[in-house]
Amino acid sequence: MVTPMPDDLRRTAEQARGFMPPAEGQALYEIACAYGSRGPICEVGTYCGKSAIYLGAGARRAGTVVFTVDHHRGSEEIQPGWPHHDPDLVDPKTGRMDSLPFFRDTIAAAGLEDEVIAIVGASATVARHWSTPLSVLFIDGGHSEEPVTADYEGWAPHVMPGGALVFHDIYPDPADGGQAPYRVYLRALESGDFREARVTGSLRVLERV
């Protein structure tokens, strides 16, 4: 049985900016606890650090760390004019999105700076130079076809045997949400390299066979 997430970390996560429902966040924590002792965790798509708190809390329990990769300039769906845009994240000096200061504040408030390590850069660039096997890979970056495909192709090969590949915002019904993550999730299943291990809301957990 997984030890419950500490109440202070859970409250901090629930209050942080972001789009992770509590039940799915709790699932992330449990996944990090279950798989993290095998190696480091990688999150693709940091935003302001909400999901990184759940992963970081689990990483602390498992004795590992979370590398969270993001250029912090915002994915397509949070740019001005899009439904998830937050004007507070626009840097007044440059006029560009910049979620990095908000991420740093979030992780500092959670007391997880030793467990959650930011890698600031484009996911595809970092993936090309990555070589460490991962116990958990959480893909939650750009949700249109090109970025989610690139995240899968660049990072999934680094998931170790028995490790977990986790997708967020998987909606089989187009009426519920965008289809690009769902198509890539199906591609992962059809590859034969992964089997489905858990479903929580829009979260899908695949285990490398």
Side-chain angles (χ1 to χ4, degrees):
M1 182 176 178
V2 176
T3 302
M5 185 173 177
D7 287 341
D8 59 335
L9 287 177
R10 178 182 51 77
R11 286 192 295 269
T12 301
E14 290 177 1
Q15 293 166 5
R17 292 174 190 254
F19 311 103
M20 181 61 60
E24 295 177 22
Q26 175 66 25
L28 283 181
Y29 165 74
E30 293 172 2
I31 293 159
C33 288
Y35 292 89
S37 62
R38 309 176 192 190
I41 295 165
C42 181
E43 172 185 51
V44 179
T46 309
Y47 193 48
C48 295
K50 187 181 187 78
S51 57
I53 298 176
Y54 292 108
L55 291 170
R60 174 180 287 173
R61 176 69 60 183
T64 191
V65 296
V66 179
F67 294 98
T68 182
V69 181
D70 200 314
H71 48 57
H72 286 279
R73 295 302 186 186
S75 56
E76 180 183 57
E77 57 268 19
I78 64 171
Q79 298 300 323
W82 288 74
H84 296 299
H85 177 64
D86 184 343
D88 288 347
L89 272 62
V90 177
D91 183 341
K93 296 188 295 293
T94 64
R96 301 176 69 190
M97 299 290 290
D98 187 2
S99 55
L100 181 57
F102 296 86
F103 160 78
R104 294 199 65 157
D105 288 347
T106 297
I107 299 305
L112 288 170
E113 291 177 302
D114 289 338
E115 287 81 15
V116 179
I117 301 163
I119 299 178
V120 182
S123 167
T125 302
V126 178
R128 281 198 302 271
H129 298 277
W130 190 268
S131 59
T132 303
L134 299 169
S135 65
V136 178
L137 170 63
F138 177 43
I139 295 180
D140 193 26
H143 283 47
S144 54
E145 201 77 41
E146 184 177 350
V148 72
T149 298
D151 290 342
Y152 169 70
E153 292 179 350
W155 287 101
H158 299 296
V159 177
M160 63 180 59
L165 168 61
V166 186
F167 289 98
H168 193 219
D169 295 322
I170 301 301
Y171 300 111
D173 185 345
D176 295 328
Q179 293 295 286
Y182 178 59
R183 285 191 288 270
V184 175
Y185 148 79
L186 290 178
R187 177 181 168 187
L189 277 177
E190 291 163 0
S191 72
D193 295 331
F194 297 93
R195 63 172 184 85
E196 190 159 87
R198 177 170 178 169
V199 175
T200 302
S202 72
L203 206 69
R204 298 292 188 276
V205 183
L206 308 182
E207 190 172 281
R208 183 178 282 281
V209 296

